[in-house]
Amino acid sequence: MAQEPYRAPRGTEDLLPEKVRIYRKLEEEARRILEVHGYREIRTPFFEETRLFVRSIGEVTDIVEKEMFTVSRGGESSYSFRPEGTASVVRAYLEHNFHKRRPFQKFFYIGPMFRYEKPQKGRQRQFWQIGAEALGSSDPRLDAEMILLVLDFFERLGLRGLEARINSIGDKADRDRFREVLKEWFRPKLDDLCPLCRDRYNRNVFRILDCKVETCKELRRGVPEFLDHLSPESLAHFEAVKKTLDMLEVPYRVDPSIVRGFDYYTHTVFEIPYEKLGARSALCGGGRYDDLIAELGGPSLGAVGFSIGVTPTLIALEMEGLLEEVSPGGRPDAFLVPIGPEQEDEGFRLAVNLRRAGFAVLFDHQGKGLRARLKLAARERCRAALLLGEEERKRGVVKVRDLDRGEEMDVPAGPELEARLLSLREEARAGSEEGAP
RNA sequence: GUGAGAGUAGCUCAGCUGGUUAGAGCGCCAGACUGUGGCUCUGGAGGUCGUGGGUUCGAAGCCCAUCUCUCACCCCA
């Protein structure tokens, strides 16, 4: 019986060094832009009590009903790996009494989320999100700020021409009223809807609004829009968001078909679509959730947030040919090459000392020959090869080979060698700037 | 959860309707060059053809099951 090889679990992947570099670049850009806007990083546990997600995301949502990784041990409560980030942030906000100390807080998080789903393009069981939450205020300027910030982030990565889609789903009373309006409107057409939509009619009428089946699209002609059924207060909030977006010259379009999947959303909801993505067509989704803090046991305070999908973002960057730009990678300063077995120890010592002085120095540990080591040095794009043979050692020098020019010179080990490596580093930098437009 | 396609060397793939020792390119290792990289040439290693079962004189190919990947639906980042 042949043993099955070990593999990463379905829907997960190993982020190999090359990819980690890209992730870090994304994270770096996100942290920068978020911190400039006053958001501070928060790190919550990867799992929470299951009831937290049930309460926040909603009991009858697909995520809670069938997409959570849930574990229970003995008599303890049931725990679930977080399928999204907002619930945890709000929980932490309340647990640490921010609402009593300084109710207005801006947090962001970067980390993996987990959903038990069938993997496909841009959709995995463990996936990374970059998210932000502004808690303790209902200021429509924050809704606009979120959208602006996200578009700026994508722009910085090189994704241009993106546009936000926004909509308002009002408050709970608005939704209860509109739900009835929709049901009333669809009732006579019920038999002509697709089977799925007939199910949606009872589960969540709103979702019929974004069904992609042609016959349903046809039937939807002249369907009432949420925006026409908002209370004056809700409408005023939405108008204020749009006004702010206009003022900030943020590109957006009102799209009545945007209905988010979590129960906690209220008022403003938005997405940043990227058409070429396929099954996962949004790079980012977000919205206001003015009832959630109270729902989780806190005071009645407004909040708004978004989350960016790292995987879809990477797919978009790849499609636009931007991955190389995002991740140029660094060059090691040198490859230390002892010549002859007697020099191995001394060479290793020299490599370690240079590393302690801050230089990135590679060393061969596979017993390769001189030529093979130089080959490695070239492949790793080292700036220099440091050759240490018997001759050099006797004279207390190291032969520094400039791998870009092919020139060699003997340099005394010590401060002079470090100076030489520094100057090679500078040269390379000047060279790369010359090449830039 | 539903449906479709695909799994052959480290990677990308070829392998006609089942027929003898399963191939290429790239990569890897070594040599040409015993103290010098990127180029070239030569040689080498590396495969139970995803896994298990079945049909057959004979299976990488056909059938069944299973796993994984990909894509779509559902849903969503």
Side-chain angles (χ1 to χ4, degrees):
Chain A
M1 194 188 277
Q3 171 160 12
E4 282 293 314
Y6 294 106
R7 306 179 201 225
R10 177 162 211 200
T12 70
E13 67 174 331
D14 298 309
L15 298 178
L16 302 181
E18 219 169 51
K19 203 153 193 185
V20 168
R21 186 180 288 287
I22 298 168
Y23 267 64
R24 283 178 57 168
K25 176 68 189 174
L26 252 60
E27 290 168 17
E28 194 180 294
E29 195 55 61
R31 286 198 170 90
R32 191 199 59 81
I33 203 164
L34 283 159
E35 279 170 359
V36 162
H37 286 80
Y39 294 81
R40 298 184 299 156
E41 183 165 1
I42 185 169
R43 299 189 186 188
T44 62
F46 287 8
F47 59 93
E48 297 272 358
E49 284 187 79
T50 302
R51 64 192 179 105
L52 173 69
F53 300 122
V54 173
R55 190 61 179 269
S56 57
I57 296 168
E59 207 155 352
V60 295
T61 54
D62 272 28
I63 291 189
V64 165
E65 280 183 339
K66 49 193 187 194
E67 292 178 4
M68 287 212 290
F69 276 99
T70 299
V71 292
S72 34
R73 301 287 328 243
E76 287 187 50
S77 4
S78 158
Y79 295 105
S80 294
F81 286 100
R82 58 183 189 191
E84 57 100 45
T86 303
S88 302
V89 173
V90 174
R91 192 225 80 231
Y93 171 86
L94 291 171
E95 181 166 344
H96 301 282
N97 294 310
F98 282 103
H99 60 298
K100 293 178 187 160
R101 297 192 280 156
R102 294 182 185 175
F104 183 61
Q105 291 291 333
K106 296 166 106 178
F107 295 122
F108 75 91
Y109 58 85
I110 298 176
M113 304 295 158
F114 308 84
R115 286 183 206 172
Y116 184 80
E117 290 192 280
K118 209 160 174 182
Q120 62 184 274
K121 194 176 182 66
R123 200 169 79 179
Q124 293 158 295
R125 289 182 171 183
Q126 177 178 329
F127 55 96
W128 289 65
Q129 286 190 341
I130 300 171
E133 318 288 346
L135 304 148
S137 166
S138 296
D139 187 355
R141 290 182 191 86
L142 287 169
D143 308 35
E145 175 181 292
M146 291 277 170
I147 296 168
L148 169 71
L149 195 156
V150 166
L151 286 170
D152 273 356
F153 170 72
F154 289 127
E155 176 106 18
R156 286 283 299 207
L157 295 177
L159 290 171
R160 305 189 193 285
L162 294 179
E163 183 186 68
R165 298 281 165 83
I166 70 169
N167 190 26
S168 174
I169 57 171
D171 60 20
K172 191 166 183 309
D174 292 332
R175 274 200 305 288
D176 288 345
R177 237 176 316 113
F178 187 56
R179 188 176 295 116
E180 289 315 310
V181 171
L182 275 185
K183 285 197 165 187
E184 196 63 38
W185 195 84
F186 278 114
R187 189 160 324 187
K189 307 173 196 303
L190 207 45
D191 291 340
D192 301 323
L193 287 169
C194 69
L196 212 61
C197 279
R198 284 203 289 276
D199 184 48
R200 284 176 176 137
Y201 181 84
N202 291 315
R203 282 174 59 91
N204 188 348
V205 215
F206 301 128
R207 298 232 72 99
I208 301 181
L209 296 179
D210 63 0
C211 179
K212 286 148 213 145
V213 176
E214 276 308 318
T215 55
C216 291
K217 282 186 181 171
E218 280 297 314
L219 280 171
R220 277 208 305 268
R221 273 177 206 276
V223 71
E225 291 193 1
F226 225 138
L227 296 177
D228 300 325
H229 293 262
L230 294 177
S231 68
E233 296 76 28
S234 296
L235 195 59
H237 181 91
F238 191 55
E239 290 302 323
V241 172
K242 288 198 291 182
K243 199 184 107 198
T244 312
L245 289 172
D246 290 334
M247 181 183 79
L248 299 172
E249 296 177 25
V250 178
Y252 73 93
R253 180 182 306 173
V254 175
D255 181 346
S257 77
I258 294 194
V259 193
R260 311 246 69 228
F262 306 154
D263 280 5
Y264 58 63
Y265 282 116
T266 59
H267 298 287
T268 321
V269 287
F270 64 91
E271 290 177 4
I272 312 292
Y274 183 77
E275 304 302 340
K276 294 177 245 177
L277 275 182
R280 262 284 327 105
S281 64
L283 298 172
C284 170
R288 182 157 279 287
Y289 47 95
D290 283 347
D291 299 332
L292 184 57
I293 295 177
E295 189 74 20
L296 296 183
S300 175
L301 286 171
V304 57
F306 68 76
S307 85
I308 294 169
V310 172
T311 315
T313 302
L314 290 181
I315 294 172
L317 288 173
E318 191 173 10
M319 283 178 146
E320 303 293 336
L322 292 165
L323 274 191
E324 288 304 312
E325 277 177 58
V326 167
S327 165
R331 295 182 66 181
D333 292 299
F335 201 113
L336 198 309
V337 184
I339 301 168
E342 316 78 37
Q343 317 306 328
E344 290 286 331
D345 274 336
E346 182 57 20
F348 182 62
R349 197 178 66 88
L350 185 54
V352 168
N353 284 341
L354 285 168
R355 288 168 180 168
R356 283 171 147 173
F359 296 96
V361 179
L362 303 187
F363 191 84
D364 172 64
H365 293 280
Q366 298 178 97
K368 287 183 185 291
L370 172 60
R371 291 161 44 76
R373 290 186 194 199
L374 281 164
K375 208 174 256 187
L376 270 181
R379 191 194 312 148
E380 301 295 333
R381 299 165 57 239
C382 294
R383 281 186 255 272
L386 305 182
L387 300 150
L388 182 67
E390 201 181 344
E391 290 169 35
E392 288 81 8
R393 192 165 170 193
K394 275 182 193 154
R395 292 166 41 218
V397 299
V398 174
K399 199 175 284 291
V400 180
R401 181 175 176 87
D402 179 335
L403 288 173
D404 291 337
R405 298 161 192 256
E407 294 163 1
E408 283 182 357
M409 61 193 284
D410 287 346
V411 180
E416 286 175 68
L417 176 56
E418 294 186 14
R420 177 66 188 140
L421 288 177
L422 275 180
S423 79
L424 279 173
R425 208 189 263 180
E426 292 305 315
E427 261 176 51
R429 182 174 305 162
S432 70
E433 271 168 23
E434 250 169 54

